[in-house]
Amino acid sequence: KYKNQPGVMAGSCNPSYSREVAVSQDRTTARQPGQQSETLSQKQQKTKTKNLLLLDFLTLLYSHCPGYPFPTAPPVDPFAKIKVDDCGKTKGCFRYGKPGCNAETCDYFLSYRMIGADVEFELSADTDGWVAVGFSSDKKMGGDDVMACVHDDNGRVRIQHFYNVGQWAKEIQRNPARDEEGVFENNRVTCRFKRPVNVPRDETIVDLHLSWYYLFAWGPAIQGSITRHDIDSPPASERVVSIYKYEDIFMPSAAYQTFSSPFCLLLIVALTFYLLMGTP
């Protein structure tokens, strides 16, 4: 079938033929009697050249043989959506935003769960820049271990490690994250990664088997570098969080907090009483 096809040798569509060619090439390079032995570097260079030539030959071979397609890289698995039905059951969750929101509609979402000796975190926020969680001994920014998912100019979402020095987040090269995943879709940055529960003592990395306040933040990024968070006072957990206790905690955003504060409720009651009693 391929006997007279330009650029293809007769019988070359048979993979066994390719191996025979490679073997015959090796035989032709055997040292003849009286020939000086080659140095190790010369042998390595010749072997490298032969391998490159063989690779070019196989590429040409497969490109002309419909029956033997050239191998391609496997497709990348899509990012698995965050399941909120597991919140409070098999993982702990924090939701900030509109009542009833989920990982795709909350202003900010975080989940955590134990997997062996690791903690798996899932973060998502309504931003085109970055989303982060900080582990703090108090509710204030400063001296905090921070994990952030940053959307860069190439469309990738990278997991980075920071340490809050006062109000400034300093990137730390030692990054405890592994099994990293991230995606930017529908103007949201979403990511998933694991981090060891126990780590060697380090000022910038806390042990997660201890309980910490969780700081939640998100904001814009410029050329893959984080900038100031979107709101002046980012939300934080009301109490310290234990990775061994799974809860589903909702925190209303500012737009839904107006009538939930004690002062506002008292004002509403006073105005209602005044209107019912009338004026003298």
Side-chain angles (χ1 to χ4, degrees):
K1 180 179 179 180
Y2 302 98
K3 183 175 180 180
N4 299 318
Q5 184 172 335
V8 180
M9 299 171 58
S12 63
C13 287
N14 185 346
S16 62
Y17 176 83
S18 304
R19 289 194 293 271
E20 292 171 1
V21 171
V23 171
S24 64
Q25 287 178 345
D26 286 341
R27 288 172 180 168
T28 59
T29 59
R31 185 167 61 91
Q32 302 299 323
Q35 182 180 356
Q36 292 184 352
S37 60
E38 298 175 317
T39 64
L40 180 60
S41 61
Q42 289 174 329
K43 290 182 178 179
Q44 290 175 338
Q45 183 62 34
K46 284 190 174 182
T47 301
K48 181 178 180 181
T49 302
K50 279 198 305 179
N51 290 340
L52 290 175
L53 291 173
L54 183 58
L55 178 61
D56 290 340
F57 170 76
L58 291 175
T59 302
L60 178 63
L61 167 66
Y62 279 107
S63 65
H64 287 81
C65 298
Y68 297 95
F70 195 75
T72 58
V76 178
D77 292 335
F79 186 90
K81 289 187 176 181
I82 298 175
K83 298 179 180 179
V84 296
D85 293 341
D86 298 333
C87 292
K89 301 173 184 176
T90 59
K91 63 183 179 182
C93 297
F94 286 91
R95 315 183 197 206
Y96 177 86
K98 182 179 179 179
C101 66
N102 57 36
E104 298 177 359
T105 58
C106 286
D107 294 350
Y108 178 98
F109 177 91
L110 174 138
S111 77
Y112 62 91
R113 64 170 177 162
M114 289 287 299
I115 301 181
D118 296 331
V119 184
E120 181 185 77
F121 290 97
E122 296 174 315
L123 283 75
S124 182
D126 184 13
T127 179
D128 62 357
W130 58 273
V131 54
V133 57
F135 309 104
S136 176
S137 58
D138 53 28
K139 296 183 180 181
K140 300 178 181 179
M141 185 175 177
D144 316 306
D145 176 2
V146 178
M147 300 300 299
C149 305
V150 185
H151 176 225
D152 63 22
D153 290 345
N154 296 321
R156 299 171 301 180
V157 175
R158 297 173 291 109
I159 286 74
Q160 296 177 259
H161 181 218
F162 294 88
Y163 181 75
N164 285 340
V165 181
Q167 299 295 306
W168 175 56
K170 176 184 178 182
E171 184 175 0
I172 305 298
Q173 294 303 316
R174 183 187 175 194
N175 191 343
R178 54 193 180 203
D179 295 342
E180 307 169 14
E181 300 177 77
V183 65
F184 177 69
E185 289 181 345
N186 301 321
N187 202 49
R188 293 189 70 87
V189 175
T190 305
C191 65
R192 180 183 294 113
F193 61 90
K194 295 176 184 174
R195 168 174 164 154
V197 175
N198 299 299
V199 293
R201 181 176 295 275
D202 188 314
E203 179 187 11
T204 64
I205 303 179
V206 302
D207 275 339
L208 293 177
H209 76 276
L210 301 175
S211 296
W212 304 91
Y213 288 101
Y214 282 17
L215 310 179
F216 313 117
W218 62 99
I222 299 178
Q223 296 181 348
S225 298
I226 67 174
T227 60
R228 182 175 174 79
H229 36 70
D230 274 350
I231 54 181
D232 292 334
S233 299
S237 59
E238 286 295 324
R239 56 184 182 274
V240 292
V241 179
S242 169
I243 59 172
Y244 304 105
K245 184 177 182 180
Y246 297 155
E247 297 181 275
D248 187 8
I249 298 176
F250 171 74
M251 299 175 292
S253 59
Y256 302 96
Q257 293 177 0
T258 306
F259 299 107
S260 60
S261 67
F263 175 77
C264 289
L265 292 176
L266 181 61
L267 181 61
I268 292 173
V269 171
L271 288 174
T272 303
F273 179 79
Y274 177 79
L275 292 174
L276 290 175
M277 294 299 295
T279 55

